[in-house]
mmCIF file of all heavy atoms in Angstrom:
data_model
loop_
_atom_site.group_PDB
_atom_site.id
_atom_site.type_symbol
_atom_site.label_atom_id
_atom_site.label_comp_id
_atom_site.label_asym_id
_atom_site.label_seq_id
_atom_site.Cartn_x
_atom_site.Cartn_y
_atom_site.Cartn_z
ATOM 1 N N TYR O 861 18.674 -3.335 19.634
ATOM 2 C CA TYR O 861 17.759 -3.244 18.494
ATOM 3 C C TYR O 861 18.300 -2.272 17.447
ATOM 4 O O TYR O 861 19.015 -1.317 17.772
ATOM 5 C CB TYR O 861 16.388 -2.721 18.946
ATOM 6 C CG TYR O 861 15.677 -3.594 19.947
ATOM 7 C CD1 TYR O 861 15.816 -3.387 21.315
ATOM 8 C CD2 TYR O 861 14.864 -4.637 19.519
ATOM 9 C CE1 TYR O 861 15.158 -4.195 22.229
ATOM 10 C CE2 TYR O 861 14.203 -5.452 20.432
ATOM 11 C CZ TYR O 861 14.365 -5.224 21.783
ATOM 12 O OH TYR O 861 13.716 -6.026 22.688
ATOM 13 N N SER O 862 17.900 -2.500 16.207
ATOM 14 C CA SER O 862 18.173 -1.508 15.185
ATOM 15 C C SER O 862 17.244 -0.320 15.411
ATOM 16 O O SER O 862 16.155 -0.458 15.997
ATOM 17 C CB SER O 862 17.953 -2.097 13.788
ATOM 18 O OG SER O 862 16.581 -2.395 13.588
ATOM 19 N N ASP O 863 17.655 0.837 14.931
ATOM 20 C CA ASP O 863 16.838 2.037 15.115
ATOM 21 C C ASP O 863 15.470 1.886 14.450
ATOM 22 O O ASP O 863 14.488 2.436 14.934
ATOM 23 C CB ASP O 863 17.557 3.250 14.524
ATOM 24 C CG ASP O 863 18.695 3.729 15.411
ATOM 25 O OD1 ASP O 863 18.772 3.304 16.586
ATOM 26 O OD2 ASP O 863 19.523 4.521 14.920
ATOM 27 N N SER O 864 15.425 1.129 13.362
ATOM 28 C CA SER O 864 14.181 1.027 12.601
ATOM 29 C C SER O 864 13.088 0.257 13.337
ATOM 30 O O SER O 864 11.911 0.382 12.990
ATOM 31 C CB SER O 864 14.457 0.369 11.247
ATOM 32 O OG SER O 864 14.960 -0.931 11.419
ATOM 33 N N VAL O 865 13.451 -0.539 14.344
ATOM 34 C CA VAL O 865 12.442 -1.327 15.070
ATOM 35 C C VAL O 865 12.377 -0.983 16.557
ATOM 36 O O VAL O 865 11.479 -1.450 17.260
ATOM 37 C CB VAL O 865 12.679 -2.848 14.915
ATOM 38 C CG1 VAL O 865 12.805 -3.219 13.436
ATOM 39 C CG2 VAL O 865 13.888 -3.316 15.706
ATOM 40 N N LYS O 866 13.309 -0.171 17.025
ATOM 41 C CA LYS O 866 13.361 0.164 18.454
ATOM 42 C C LYS O 866 12.047 0.798 18.892
ATOM 43 O O LYS O 866 11.511 1.680 18.229
ATOM 44 C CB LYS O 866 14.525 1.112 18.704
ATOM 45 C CG LYS O 866 14.974 1.226 20.138
ATOM 46 C CD LYS O 866 16.231 2.091 20.243
ATOM 47 C CE LYS O 866 17.402 1.492 19.512
ATOM 48 N NZ LYS O 866 18.633 2.312 19.623
ATOM 49 N N GLY O 867 11.521 0.289 20.003
ATOM 50 C CA GLY O 867 10.257 0.800 20.514
ATOM 51 C C GLY O 867 9.032 0.108 19.954
ATOM 52 O O GLY O 867 7.928 0.278 20.472
ATOM 53 N N ARG O 868 9.222 -0.668 18.900
ATOM 54 C CA ARG O 868 8.090 -1.383 18.286
ATOM 55 C C ARG O 868 8.247 -2.899 18.436
ATOM 56 O O ARG O 868 7.253 -3.618 18.517
ATOM 57 C CB ARG O 868 7.985 -1.042 16.801
ATOM 58 C CG ARG O 868 7.764 0.430 16.507
ATOM 59 C CD ARG O 868 7.469 0.658 15.027
ATOM 60 N NE ARG O 868 8.569 0.230 14.154
ATOM 61 C CZ ARG O 868 8.453 -0.647 13.180
ATOM 62 N NH1 ARG O 868 7.289 -1.221 12.915
ATOM 63 N NH2 ARG O 868 9.504 -0.961 12.423
ATOM 64 N N PHE O 869 9.478 -3.389 18.411
ATOM 65 C CA PHE O 869 9.745 -4.831 18.499
ATOM 66 C C PHE O 869 10.377 -5.140 19.853
ATOM 67 O O PHE O 869 11.143 -4.340 20.396
ATOM 68 C CB PHE O 869 10.715 -5.273 17.404
ATOM 69 C CG PHE O 869 10.163 -5.237 15.994
ATOM 70 C CD1 PHE O 869 8.950 -4.641 15.690
ATOM 71 C CD2 PHE O 869 10.877 -5.832 14.965
ATOM 72 C CE1 PHE O 869 8.458 -4.622 14.405
ATOM 73 C CE2 PHE O 869 10.409 -5.830 13.671
ATOM 74 C CZ PHE O 869 9.191 -5.214 13.390
ATOM 75 N N THR O 870 10.075 -6.337 20.354
ATOM 76 C CA THR O 870 10.677 -6.803 21.605
ATOM 77 C C THR O 870 11.185 -8.231 21.425
ATOM 78 O O THR O 870 10.407 -9.121 21.041
ATOM 79 C CB THR O 870 9.663 -6.769 22.757
ATOM 80 O OG1 THR O 870 9.171 -5.436 22.929
ATOM 81 C CG2 THR O 870 10.310 -7.228 24.058
ATOM 82 N N ILE O 871 12.449 -8.428 21.704
ATOM 83 C CA ILE O 871 13.053 -9.755 21.639
ATOM 84 C C ILE O 871 13.037 -10.370 23.037
ATOM 85 O O ILE O 871 13.250 -9.674 24.035
ATOM 86 C CB ILE O 871 14.485 -9.686 21.060
ATOM 87 C CG1 ILE O 871 15.035 -11.072 20.761
ATOM 88 C CG2 ILE O 871 15.410 -8.887 21.977
ATOM 89 C CD1 ILE O 871 16.380 -11.046 19.996
ATOM 90 N N SER O 872 12.775 -11.656 23.099
ATOM 91 C CA SER O 872 12.774 -12.346 24.391
ATOM 92 C C SER O 872 13.079 -13.820 24.169
ATOM 93 O O SER O 872 13.111 -14.295 23.034
ATOM 94 C CB SER O 872 11.425 -12.186 25.104
ATOM 95 O OG SER O 872 10.385 -12.785 24.340
ATOM 96 N N ARG O 873 13.308 -14.521 25.262
ATOM 97 C CA ARG O 873 13.623 -15.946 25.160
ATOM 98 C C ARG O 873 13.109 -16.686 26.376
ATOM 99 O O ARG O 873 12.913 -16.104 27.444
ATOM 100 C CB ARG O 873 15.121 -16.157 24.989
ATOM 101 C CG ARG O 873 15.958 -15.745 26.186
ATOM 102 C CD ARG O 873 17.454 -15.710 25.825
ATOM 103 N NE ARG O 873 17.987 -17.026 25.472
ATOM 104 C CZ ARG O 873 19.103 -17.207 24.777
ATOM 105 N NH1 ARG O 873 19.812 -16.166 24.353
ATOM 106 N NH2 ARG O 873 19.527 -18.432 24.489
ATOM 107 N N ASP O 874 12.918 -17.993 26.202
ATOM 108 C CA ASP O 874 12.568 -18.885 27.305
ATOM 109 C C ASP O 874 13.575 -20.027 27.249
ATOM 110 O O ASP O 874 13.441 -20.936 26.422
ATOM 111 C CB ASP O 874 11.141 -19.395 27.141
ATOM 112 C CG ASP O 874 10.669 -20.253 28.301
ATOM 113 O OD1 ASP O 874 11.530 -20.846 29.005
ATOM 114 O OD2 ASP O 874 9.461 -20.357 28.507
ATOM 115 N N ASN O 875 14.584 -19.956 28.082
ATOM 116 C CA ASN O 875 15.640 -20.966 28.035
ATOM 117 C C ASN O 875 15.143 -22.346 28.462
ATOM 118 O O ASN O 875 15.703 -23.360 28.053
ATOM 119 C CB ASN O 875 16.825 -20.536 28.884
ATOM 120 C CG ASN O 875 17.667 -19.464 28.201
ATOM 121 O OD1 ASN O 875 17.523 -19.220 26.999
ATOM 122 N ND2 ASN O 875 18.529 -18.808 28.959
ATOM 123 N N ALA O 876 14.102 -22.392 29.278
ATOM 124 C CA ALA O 876 13.548 -23.684 29.702
ATOM 125 C C ALA O 876 12.876 -24.406 28.531
ATOM 126 O O ALA O 876 12.821 -25.636 28.494
ATOM 127 C CB ALA O 876 12.559 -23.486 30.831
ATOM 128 N N LYS O 877 12.369 -23.621 27.590
ATOM 129 C CA LYS O 877 11.675 -24.192 26.421
ATOM 130 C C LYS O 877 12.520 -24.151 25.157
ATOM 131 O O LYS O 877 12.067 -24.576 24.095
ATOM 132 C CB LYS O 877 10.356 -23.447 26.179
ATOM 133 C CG LYS O 877 9.346 -23.605 27.294
ATOM 134 C CD LYS O 877 8.053 -22.874 26.961
ATOM 135 C CE LYS O 877 7.014 -23.080 28.061
ATOM 136 N NZ LYS O 877 5.747 -22.340 27.757
ATOM 137 N N ASN O 878 13.729 -23.616 25.244
ATOM 138 C CA ASN O 878 14.598 -23.465 24.079
ATOM 139 C C ASN O 878 13.931 -22.660 22.964
ATOM 140 O O ASN O 878 13.961 -23.036 21.785
ATOM 141 C CB ASN O 878 15.039 -24.833 23.529
ATOM 142 C CG ASN O 878 15.986 -25.555 24.464
ATOM 143 O OD1 ASN O 878 16.544 -24.967 25.384
ATOM 144 N ND2 ASN O 878 16.169 -26.844 24.235
ATOM 145 N N MET O 879 13.335 -21.553 23.344
ATOM 146 C CA MET O 879 12.576 -20.734 22.408
ATOM 147 C C MET O 879 13.050 -19.287 22.423
ATOM 148 O O MET O 879 13.363 -18.727 23.476
ATOM 149 C CB MET O 879 11.082 -20.758 22.754
ATOM 150 C CG MET O 879 10.415 -22.112 22.604
ATOM 151 S SD MET O 879 10.317 -22.668 20.888
ATOM 152 C CE MET O 879 9.214 -21.436 20.185
ATOM 153 N N LEU O 880 13.071 -18.702 21.238
ATOM 154 C CA LEU O 880 13.346 -17.287 21.041
ATOM 155 C C LEU O 880 12.102 -16.665 20.438
ATOM 156 O O LEU O 880 11.412 -17.307 19.633
ATOM 157 C CB LEU O 880 14.534 -17.100 20.094
ATOM 158 C CG LEU O 880 14.878 -15.667 19.681
ATOM 159 C CD1 LEU O 880 15.524 -14.927 20.861
ATOM 160 C CD2 LEU O 880 15.811 -15.666 18.467
ATOM 161 N N TYR O 881 11.828 -15.425 20.803
ATOM 162 C CA TYR O 881 10.636 -14.745 20.306
ATOM 163 C C TYR O 881 10.970 -13.358 19.786
ATOM 164 O O TYR O 881 11.958 -12.737 20.199
ATOM 165 C CB TYR O 881 9.594 -14.611 21.429
ATOM 166 C CG TYR O 881 9.210 -15.912 22.072
ATOM 167 C CD1 TYR O 881 9.738 -16.274 23.306
ATOM 168 C CD2 TYR O 881 8.341 -16.791 21.438
ATOM 169 C CE1 TYR O 881 9.395 -17.477 23.905
ATOM 170 C CE2 TYR O 881 7.995 -18.004 22.034
ATOM 171 C CZ TYR O 881 8.522 -18.337 23.264
ATOM 172 O OH TYR O 881 8.192 -19.530 23.853
ATOM 173 N N LEU O 882 10.109 -12.872 18.895
ATOM 174 C CA LEU O 882 10.154 -11.479 18.481
ATOM 175 C C LEU O 882 8.714 -10.977 18.436
ATOM 176 O O LEU O 882 7.932 -11.391 17.589
ATOM 177 C CB LEU O 882 10.822 -11.309 17.114
ATOM 178 C CG LEU O 882 11.015 -9.846 16.690
ATOM 179 C CD1 LEU O 882 12.062 -9.170 17.593
ATOM 180 C CD2 LEU O 882 11.455 -9.755 15.228
ATOM 181 N N GLN O 883 8.382 -10.136 19.399
ATOM 182 C CA GLN O 883 7.068 -9.514 19.414
ATOM 183 C C GLN O 883 7.136 -8.242 18.594
ATOM 184 O O GLN O 883 7.932 -7.349 18.900
ATOM 185 C CB GLN O 883 6.642 -9.193 20.850
ATOM 186 C CG GLN O 883 5.286 -8.505 20.955
ATOM 187 C CD GLN O 883 4.139 -9.431 20.538
ATOM 188 O OE1 GLN O 883 4.060 -10.576 20.974
ATOM 189 N NE2 GLN O 883 3.250 -8.905 19.704
ATOM 190 N N MET O 884 6.328 -8.183 17.541
ATOM 191 C CA MET O 884 6.350 -7.049 16.627
ATOM 192 C C MET O 884 5.019 -6.313 16.718
ATOM 193 O O MET O 884 3.954 -6.939 16.590
ATOM 194 C CB MET O 884 6.588 -7.542 15.197
ATOM 195 C CG MET O 884 7.838 -8.379 15.049
ATOM 196 S SD MET O 884 8.185 -8.820 13.343
ATOM 197 C CE MET O 884 6.795 -9.877 13.000
ATOM 198 N N SER O 885 5.074 -5.024 16.947
ATOM 199 C CA SER O 885 3.854 -4.227 17.016
ATOM 200 C C SER O 885 4.007 -2.990 16.131
ATOM 201 O O SER O 885 5.105 -2.692 15.650
ATOM 202 C CB SER O 885 3.543 -3.838 18.464
ATOM 203 O OG SER O 885 4.589 -3.073 18.999
ATOM 204 N N SER O 886 2.897 -2.277 15.940
ATOM 205 C CA SER O 886 2.888 -1.086 15.075
ATOM 206 C C SER O 886 3.575 -1.381 13.751
ATOM 207 O O SER O 886 4.414 -0.608 13.273
ATOM 208 C CB SER O 886 3.571 0.093 15.779
ATOM 209 O OG SER O 886 2.949 0.382 17.000
ATOM 210 N N LEU O 887 3.224 -2.512 13.165
ATOM 211 C CA LEU O 887 3.899 -2.959 11.948
ATOM 212 C C LEU O 887 3.649 -2.012 10.791
ATOM 213 O O LEU O 887 2.563 -1.429 10.644
ATOM 214 C CB LEU O 887 3.471 -4.374 11.599
ATOM 215 C CG LEU O 887 4.158 -5.451 12.443
ATOM 216 C CD1 LEU O 887 3.406 -6.761 12.395
ATOM 217 C CD2 LEU O 887 5.598 -5.633 11.987
ATOM 218 N N ARG O 888 4.684 -1.865 9.963
ATOM 219 C CA ARG O 888 4.653 -0.986 8.805
ATOM 220 C C ARG O 888 4.869 -1.812 7.539
ATOM 221 O O ARG O 888 5.421 -2.918 7.592
ATOM 222 C CB ARG O 888 5.762 0.056 8.928
ATOM 223 C CG ARG O 888 5.729 0.864 10.207
ATOM 224 C CD ARG O 888 7.021 1.641 10.388
ATOM 225 N NE ARG O 888 7.019 2.434 11.623
ATOM 226 C CZ ARG O 888 8.099 3.014 12.140
ATOM 227 N NH1 ARG O 888 9.271 2.898 11.525
ATOM 228 N NH2 ARG O 888 8.002 3.706 13.250
ATOM 229 N N VAL O 889 4.454 -1.250 6.421
ATOM 230 C CA VAL O 889 4.651 -1.940 5.143
ATOM 231 C C VAL O 889 6.125 -2.302 4.959
ATOM 232 O O VAL O 889 6.462 -3.383 4.469
ATOM 233 C CB VAL O 889 4.145 -1.068 3.984
ATOM 234 C CG1 VAL O 889 4.539 -1.649 2.644
ATOM 235 C CG2 VAL O 889 2.632 -0.880 4.080
ATOM 236 N N GLU O 890 7.016 -1.412 5.386
ATOM 237 C CA GLU O 890 8.455 -1.638 5.215
ATOM 238 C C GLU O 890 9.021 -2.722 6.128
ATOM 239 O O GLU O 890 10.203 -3.056 6.027
ATOM 240 C CB GLU O 890 9.239 -0.330 5.390
ATOM 241 C CG GLU O 890 9.007 0.379 6.685
ATOM 242 C CD GLU O 890 7.925 1.452 6.599
ATOM 243 O OE1 GLU O 890 6.960 1.283 5.821
ATOM 244 O OE2 GLU O 890 8.056 2.477 7.313
ATOM 245 N N ASP O 891 8.212 -3.268 7.021
ATOM 246 C CA ASP O 891 8.648 -4.399 7.836
ATOM 247 C C ASP O 891 8.472 -5.733 7.107
ATOM 248 O O ASP O 891 8.871 -6.786 7.619
ATOM 249 C CB ASP O 891 7.869 -4.458 9.153
ATOM 250 C CG ASP O 891 8.157 -3.277 10.065
ATOM 251 O OD1 ASP O 891 9.338 -2.875 10.159
ATOM 252 O OD2 ASP O 891 7.199 -2.754 10.664
#
Side-chain angles (χ1 to χ4, degrees):
Chain O
Y861 298 92
S862 67
D863 284 346
S864 61
V865 308
K866 198 174 297 181
R868 300 188 299 123
F869 291 10
T870 301
I871 190 172
S872 63
R873 66 192 296 160
D874 184 336
N875 284 346
K877 295 182 178 179
N878 291 345
M879 295 293 295
L880 175 73
Y881 304 102
L882 186 68
Q883 179 67 48
M884 305 185 294
S885 61
S886 302
L887 282 161
R888 305 167 180 168
V889 171
E890 56 266 33
D891 294 319

